Amino acid sequence: MSDLSLFYVRHNHGAPAPIIHENVIGYCDLTVVLEGTLQYRIDGTPLSLSAGDVLLLGKGTLRAREAGTERVDYISFNFYTEAPPSLPTVMRGAARNEIKLIIAACDEIVRHDPLGNEKAAAHLLAAMLLVLEGDNSREKVRPLTAKIVRYIGKHFAERITLGDIGKLTYFSPVYCDTVFKKDMGVSIIDYLLTQRVNAAKRLLIEGTNTLSEIARLTGFEDSNYFSRVFKKRTGYTPTAYKKTVLGDLSS
């Protein structure tokens, strides 16, 4: 990741986690939990992280975190990149020994050179992301789930039902949904809506389409339904989301 630009690192060594008020972030955030737990709300959905878990948030994510009451050890990296890592938002148990060694090296760099550590720490962050990407690529989902993911990736803007998925895979819709949820942690329809909302976020930020056009381009029935789903999943109406993100990026 040669274009990675790190601008903030914070290692919380055991103090309760401070609150993060709900906001749309204009950068990428990687957080590794070493001990304790963190309670987030990501795009309107509660999320609990435990020791060993890794969280990766992309630019445009709606994020909030509860104030902690117990000790927790975690490190967060805030950075910019033109090519976000190909990683899931939550990686359970991903903080294995290699990741912990990289974090220890980062701690030493910061301790010895608190003011001039950004470049070296950025290299360590890039190494950490490469390790996570390598681990993630080895965690294969079942062929059925992979086929559904590929299909949704290509056709999310079209009308898709569980019946369509059944015809595509030659399995019953219920069986497809059961297998998919075991592999991905969410139902097929929930995954489909997430892909549509993420695509809508990109179009809103680009600012070249109307709400009706964005609804059509991302597979929603109409702009009203699109707005309802978008607000439920992000906490913002499409218009408010666009204003918030563009305002944040320009500040």
Side-chain angles (χ1 to χ4, degrees), residues 63-233:
R63 177 193 64 176
R65 189 177 69 204
E66 297 179 9
T69 58
E70 300 179 355
R71 294 168 58 84
V72 60
D73 185 353
Y74 68 92
I75 187 168
S76 293
F77 300 85
N78 295 165
F79 61 97
Y80 297 109
T81 179
E82 292 299 321
S86 299
L87 290 167
T89 299
V90 181
M91 291 160 273
R92 300 292 185 189
R96 55 188 182 87
N97 287 338
E98 288 86 343
I99 297 297
K100 293 176 181 178
L101 288 172
I102 293 173
I103 290 173
C106 187
D107 286 342
E108 282 299 301
I109 289 173
V110 172
R111 186 170 67 86
H112 286 292
D113 189 8
L115 299 179
N117 61 73
E118 291 88 352
K119 187 173 182 179
H123 285 301
L124 290 174
L125 172 59
M128 191 183 307
L129 290 169
L130 286 174
V131 171
L132 291 170
E133 287 179 334
D135 289 346
N136 186 65
S137 67
R138 287 189 288 272
E139 293 179 3
K140 302 297 185 182
V141 298
R142 278 168 275 200
L144 175 60
T145 299
K147 186 173 185 178
I148 296 170
V149 167
R150 288 194 299 271
Y151 181 79
I152 290 176
K154 293 180 180 178
H155 302 280
F156 68 85
E158 303 169 16
R159 182 179 181 275
I160 298 176
T161 67
L162 288 180
D164 297 326
I165 298 298
K167 292 176 183 177
L168 168 75
T169 61
Y170 301 101
F171 288 100
S172 75
V174 173
Y175 178 77
C176 290
D177 206 34
T178 299
V179 171
F180 191 92
K181 192 166 186 177
K182 285 182 180 179
D183 285 349
M184 303 296 289
V186 296
S187 69
I188 292 173
I189 296 303
D190 192 50
Y191 179 83
L192 170 62
L193 289 175
T194 297
Q195 302 313 301
R196 287 174 172 171
V197 168
N198 287 342
K201 286 180 180 179
R202 294 190 291 270
L203 292 173
L204 284 166
I205 295 173
E206 289 172 4
T208 57
N209 299 102
T210 66
L211 290 185
S212 295
E213 290 171 339
I214 291 175
R216 177 177 55 79
L217 290 170
T218 54
F220 290 98
E221 297 172 2
D222 55 59
S223 57
N224 290 330
Y225 176 59
F226 162 57
S227 295
R228 289 197 303 272
V229 173
F230 192 92
K231 185 173 183 180
K232 184 177 181 180
R233 287 179 169 258

Side-chain angles (χ1 to χ4, degrees), residues 27-49:
Y27 47 84
C28 295
D29 174 83
L30 179 76
T31 296
V32 181
V33 184
L34 301 170
E35 294 182 10
T37 60
L38 294 174
Q39 303 297 328
Y40 282 88
R41 193 168 183 84
I42 305 300
D43 285 333
T45 302
L47 175 65
S48 179
L49 298 180

